[in-house]
Amino acid sequence: MLSLKNTSVCPFYAVKSNNSPPIIKMLGTVGAGFDCASQGEIEQVLSLGVTPNKIIYAHPCKQESHIRYAQAHGVQIMTFDSEEELVKISRCHDSAKLVLRLGVDDSKALLRLSGKFGAKLGSCQHLLQRAQNLDLEVIGVSFHVGCGCTDSKAYRQAISDAHCVFNIGEELGFKMTLLDIGGGFPGQNDFKLTFEEIAADINKALEEFFPPSCGVSVIAEPGRYYVTSAVTLAANVIAKKVIMEELTNCRTANRTMMYYLNDGVYGSISFLLHDPAQSTVSPYPHRKPKPDEPVYPCVIWGPTCDSVDVVVKNTFLPELQVGDWLLIDNMGAYTHCISTTFNGFRKTPIYYVMSRDTMHWIQLSCTHSLIKPC
Ligand SMILES: Cc1ncc(COP(=O)(O)O)c(C=O)c1O
């Protein structure tokens, strides 16, 4: 949670990044809310005991039947970025509390989102007027600066833009009470911009544009920030080939190893195909290599028959045998939830562990209400 004097930014975890039930339960227990993108995600979160007021339906282009589901199950807060969406919501949900998703400058993000979602600043007045004509209640503004944001000034600019939209909304008579600063926070410690640097700039901007005295609640929708480093993939070497390459002026041959794992780009590692925010992985052997153990050039393939199913094209590792394990860190976000069973390969099972200290802390916090509800 980012904290700001008397205010704090309440996390609404982006379920899309990892919808494992224990993760949702755990975050719910420590007071988080949830950003859901569909009926399926809302159903799952509700089934785990989360109350509807802790959910934001944060998809600006929703399916009508999903809006009706939200209405029937008490989920009221939802985003929009177009007139058509307003018309749909007015047809399907009579008590929606709307949040205008603003398109912001995401040019500093590794994975941009504003091309697909977000109203332009110049069209917000018209959209808010249309909401008013349809007798809809608008309560705030959201944005997303893009995944893997590399410049914290993007948040500052977006917060300033959101402030302009708050003014327009208030002039029209809406009670604007919710600012949603989206996701985009890094999940790995070695990312070029740290969470603390981003938080410092966000806190300054909030102090300037939304000071605690204005009474606006601030939420965020972190996805990869929470889960990336929580998961390590253990992939098994299911096959191996040694490729001998003749050297021109020499009798000896270079050996390149080809290893085939039981998980690949159609499984947990699909982000290699489509997510510029996570474009490489660094597998390492589960056993510590001996100090003088030679390393060999190798290619690491996924298990399917498809040749794009390559995990690492070129790396050096000590020699592995069939049955050995390779570990890959930072595998918690947009991994298992996107994996397929292409070619009949089963999804990798998940095993959950928690240190005794963490478990103890959570139990204590819950018993003694140490966690401030958002
Ligand atoms: C609306 C919305 N909120 C939050 C997120 C989570 O983003 P991140 O995982 O970068 O924090 C996404 C990601 O696509 C999103 O579309």
Side-chain angles (χ1 to χ4, degrees), residues 14 16 35 58 101 113 144 147 183-185 221-224 334:
K16 60 183 82 61
D35 148 17
R101 167 88 172 258
L113 297 169
H144 195 304
C147 299
F185 311 100
E221 298 168 0
R224 63 189 83 217
Y334 307 102

Side-chain angles (χ1 to χ4, degrees), residues 289-304:
K290 295 181 200 109
D292 53 351
E293 199 170 335
V295 290
Y296 297 92
C298 54
V299 185
I300 303 175
W301 300 96
T304 68

Side-chain angles (χ1 to χ4, degrees), residues 172-188:
L172 286 169
F174 289 115
K175 205 161 177 298
M176 304 288 277
T177 55
L178 185 71
L179 173 69
D180 176 355
I181 63 171
F185 311 100
Q188 289 175 232

